[in-house]
Amino acid sequence: MTEKSLKNDEIDLIELISILWKKKLWIILSSFIFTAIAGVYAFTAKEQWTSSAEVIAPRTLDLGDYFSVRKEYARILGGEFDAGATASNLFSQFNLISESLDERRKFFVQSDFYKKKVEGKSETEKAQILSELISKHITIKKPDSKKEPDLIGNKISFYAETPADAQNVLSQFISTINQSAYQIELDNFLLYFNELVADLNYEKTKFERDLSIHKSVQLENLENALRIAKEAGITEYAKSLGITNGESAMQQAPTMSEAKIPLSDSKLSDSTYLFMLGEKYLKAQIDVLKDSSVVYPPRYYQVSSLLSELEPLLIKAKQAKANAFSYQASPDYPVVKDKPKKGLILVIGFIIGLILSSIFITLSFIFKKAYSPCLEK
């Protein structure tokens, strides 16, 4: 490059700066125009405020009435209740449901916040708003020691156009998810609880039915035997075995042998031979059997005792309440909005106007410089 060309370049640069200085009013005016445009956006754009909460696994205290119900249930059945495992299951269910898009959709469709936002909107617009609320407005961050070392539990955030809406909707969302998570846990527990009570009731009913049938059959056999004994003229068991003049010792031997063995092992225990006990003995058995209550085995009373404890507990379990999480930090009221940052937008608008107007003037200068010799010829 020659000394002359360097001089021309220096003159061109000085000339460009001179032109820019001469056009300073246009540059400033352009900058203010862009600043005004940016200001219109900054003051009309929808605001965004974010409320956040941090949730952790529930403590024993958060299990409420459900803890006492499960503790008593285990005590009645002779088992152990693991409160830590139950709290962990509840929190896992809470996290799972909070991530579910279906559960989010169910929450927003029923919320006053969504109903207010979609007033007068078309079905397409309603679907778009609902989709954004579900997928964009709610975010859940899990603990990451590298990015957020102070975060212990899951961080749930929601943004809205006002700080009050952001806080209220987030609180309602967490409360709804909490209820759903606990209801799933309770339903699973009640499923086994109801089955246990049903099985015990069936076992008790079976005892009562079987022994009642046995008593009825026994009573019917005795009454039949009594009728036969009356017809045969057998009044007493001892007399029926006595030696009569018309019988030989050989004829009475079988009867005497029956009297020498236990009654339970004798043919007399069979309903066919019961009449041989005689009217008096049979009548006494029938009277006692009618007046006496059924004698149940020990298991029957064990089952009855379990039911007397479990059935009231089942009613109590259905009314029990518990939390599936615990707050490490409850939903906050945002004091600093996310966007728009009005001051920053105005500054950016001013800088863009300044740069664009300067570029336009520079390009005009270069164009004139390049084509001016041609125009002179």
Side-chain angles (χ1 to χ4, degrees):
M1 185 178 289
T2 63
E3 183 179 350
K4 185 177 180 180
S5 63
L6 288 171
K7 188 175 180 182
N8 288 335
D9 289 341
E10 184 179 350
I11 293 171
D12 290 343
L13 182 60
I14 294 173
E15 188 178 357
L16 175 61
I17 293 173
S18 176
I19 291 173
L20 289 173
W21 178 252
K22 290 179 182 179
K23 299 288 185 179
K24 59 181 180 294
L25 293 178
W26 288 102
I27 293 174
I28 294 172
L29 180 62
S30 299
S31 299
F32 276 110
I33 291 174
F34 276 92
T35 302
I37 294 172
V40 171
Y41 168 76
F43 286 94
T44 57
K46 291 181 179 180
E47 295 183 349
Q48 179 176 311
W49 300 80
T50 300
S51 176
S52 299
E54 187 177 346
V55 295
I56 57 176
R59 301 159 297 179
T60 302
L61 184 63
D62 296 310
L63 297 180
D65 298 337
Y66 187 62
F67 172 80
S68 60
V69 168
R70 291 297 302 269
K71 189 77 174 178
E72 187 175 352
Y73 177 82
R75 185 166 53 247
I76 292 171
L77 298 181
E80 293 291 333
F81 172 58
D82 190 345
T86 300
S88 179
N89 290 338
L90 279 168
F91 191 55
S92 295
Q93 197 64 245
F94 177 89
N95 291 332
L96 187 64
I97 294 176
S98 64
E99 296 280 3
S100 170
L101 296 182
D102 289 339
E103 290 294 331
R104 293 183 186 183
R105 182 178 292 105
K106 189 188 301 181
F107 164 75
F108 281 113
V109 166
Q110 297 174 352
S111 69
D112 294 333
F113 177 77
Y114 169 75
K115 292 175 182 177
K116 186 177 179 181
K117 285 183 72 71
V118 298
E119 284 181 356
K121 304 289 185 181
S122 66
E123 291 302 319
T124 302
E125 290 172 325
K126 289 180 181 179
Q128 185 177 359
I129 291 172
L130 183 59
S131 176
E132 289 180 355
L133 287 173
I134 291 170
S135 58
K136 296 180 180 179
H137 285 238
I138 288 183
T139 57
I140 299 176
K141 291 182 180 179
K142 296 182 179 180
D144 189 335
S145 58
K146 295 181 180 179
K147 295 181 180 179
E148 295 180 274
D150 296 331
L151 187 64
I152 300 174
N154 290 350
K155 184 178 181 181
I156 305 176
S157 301
F158 177 78
Y159 71 82
E161 294 174 19
T162 66
D165 281 342
Q167 184 185 40
N168 292 336
V169 174
L170 180 59
S171 297
Q172 293 168 10
F173 174 74
I174 293 175
S175 177
T176 301
I177 296 302
N178 174 57
Q179 293 172 7
S180 298
Y182 171 65
Q183 193 60 49
I184 291 174
E185 165 68 22
L186 181 62
D187 289 344
N188 288 333
F189 173 61
L190 290 178
L191 177 65
Y192 292 104
F193 202 152
N194 281 311
E195 284 297 315
L196 175 62
V197 171
D199 289 342
L200 291 173
N201 273 315
Y202 174 77
E203 188 176 358
K204 181 181 178 182
T205 302
K206 190 173 184 299
F207 274 126
E208 294 171 345
R209 183 190 64 218
D210 292 350
L211 291 176
S212 177
I213 292 172
H214 178 73
K215 181 178 179 179
S216 298
V217 171
Q218 186 181 10
L219 189 59
E220 185 178 351
N221 287 336
L222 289 171
E223 288 175 343
N224 288 335
L226 178 59
R227 285 194 294 270
I228 295 172
K230 287 180 179 180
E231 290 291 332
I234 303 174
T235 306
E236 295 187 13
Y237 174 51
K239 289 184 178 180
S240 68
L241 296 177
I243 300 174
T244 61
N245 295 330
E247 292 181 340
S248 64
M250 290 293 292
Q251 290 174 319
Q252 295 182 24
T255 306
M256 294 298 294
S257 65
E258 289 287 345
K260 292 179 181 178
I261 61 177
L263 183 61
S264 59
D265 298 329
S266 169
K267 292 180 180 180
L268 296 178
S269 63
D270 192 338
S271 60
T272 307
Y273 297 95
L274 279 176
F275 70 92
M276 296 175 65
L277 294 172
E279 291 181 42
K280 187 176 180 180
Y281 188 87
L282 290 169
K283 183 66 169 60
Q285 271 198 317
I286 290 171
D287 292 341
V288 171
L289 191 60
K290 285 183 176 180
D291 294 337
S292 62
S293 58
V294 177
V295 178
Y296 295 104
R299 175 59 185 171
Y300 173 83
Y301 297 102
Q302 292 174 354
V303 170
S304 298
S305 177
L306 284 173
L307 286 172
S308 68
E309 294 181 272
L310 288 173
E311 286 177 337
L313 185 62
L314 179 59
I315 297 173
K316 187 178 177 181
K318 293 176 181 178
Q319 300 170 348
K321 300 295 181 183
N323 287 322
F325 75 101
S326 180
Y327 276 125
Q328 183 71 7
S330 58
D332 60 348
Y333 186 91
V335 294
V336 178
K337 64 183 173 185
D338 307 326
K339 61 181 185 181
K341 303 290 186 182
K342 295 178 181 178
L344 180 62
I345 291 174
L346 292 175
V347 170
I348 292 174
F350 180 83
I351 293 173
I352 290 175
L354 185 68
I355 293 173
L356 289 180
S357 59
S358 298
I359 291 174
F360 178 77
I361 293 171
T362 301
L363 291 175
S364 299
F365 169 75
I366 293 172
F367 179 82
K368 288 180 180 179
K369 198 73 175 173
Y371 290 96
S372 59
C374 298
L375 293 174
E376 288 176 358
K377 291 179 181 181

